Amino acid sequence: MSVINNISKLFTKIFGSRNDRLVKQYLKRVDQINAFEPEMRPLTDEQLRSRVTDLRSSVSETGMTDEAMFEGLAIMREAIDRHIGIRNVFNPQYKDQFDPRKLPADVQRIY
């Protein structure tokens, strides 16, 4: 049994735990979403809506791609940040920038 545990520990050191591998995959996705930020930030709300419409038609024609998913998530994050300041919700440095009263009533109770 000890040999199996040692081999298991060795593999974990070399390849990381399952959790480490999953986190690494998720961080890659976050980086891909973040790559859209410089493109999304300067757009107006109307331009963001237009991008959503274009993205929907593209997905309906070609199907969902990783690129479309990442762009869609970047658009959503930008819209959420503009309307409720979600990026700073738990950052004490920006506590005055997030107004929980902008959240729906049921979410306010949870917050």
Side-chain angles (χ1 to χ4, degrees):
M1 191 67 144
S2 173
V3 173
I4 293 174
N5 284 339
N6 288 337
I7 292 173
S8 176
K9 288 179 184 178
L10 178 65
F11 280 146
T12 301
K13 281 191 182 242
I14 293 171
F15 300 109
S17 68
R18 179 176 186 275
N19 188 54
D20 293 337
R21 291 188 303 274
L22 286 172
V23 168
K24 188 175 180 180
Q25 288 176 356
Y26 295 145
L27 289 175
K28 281 183 186 178
R29 292 176 181 175
V30 169
D31 289 340
Q32 291 170 310
I33 295 165
N34 287 344
F36 282 98
E37 186 170 0
E39 192 179 332
M40 298 301 154
R41 280 250 158 177
L43 298 179
T44 65
D45 288 350
E46 188 55 43
Q47 289 170 322
L48 283 176
R49 282 187 207 99
S50 175
R51 291 292 290 263
V52 169
T53 303
D54 295 343
L55 195 58
R56 280 184 183 147
S57 12
S58 170
V59 167
S60 68
E61 292 172 10
T62 61
M64 178 61 80
T65 63
D66 284 348
E67 185 78 9
M69 179 179 62
F70 298 140
E71 183 178 359
L73 289 168
I75 292 169
M76 284 188 287
R77 181 181 64 192
E78 183 62 31
I80 291 169
D81 188 44
R82 288 181 187 187
H83 293 282
I84 62 172
I86 198 72
R87 288 188 182 147
N88 297 317
V89 69
F90 297 115
N91 187 342
Q93 182 180 357
Y94 298 105
K95 68 180 177 198
D96 297 331
Q97 291 183 11
F98 175 72
D99 184 4
R101 293 173 296 178
K102 291 183 179 180
L103 295 170
D106 55 332
V107 177
Q108 285 181 26
R109 286 193 309 272
I110 296 169
Y111 178 78

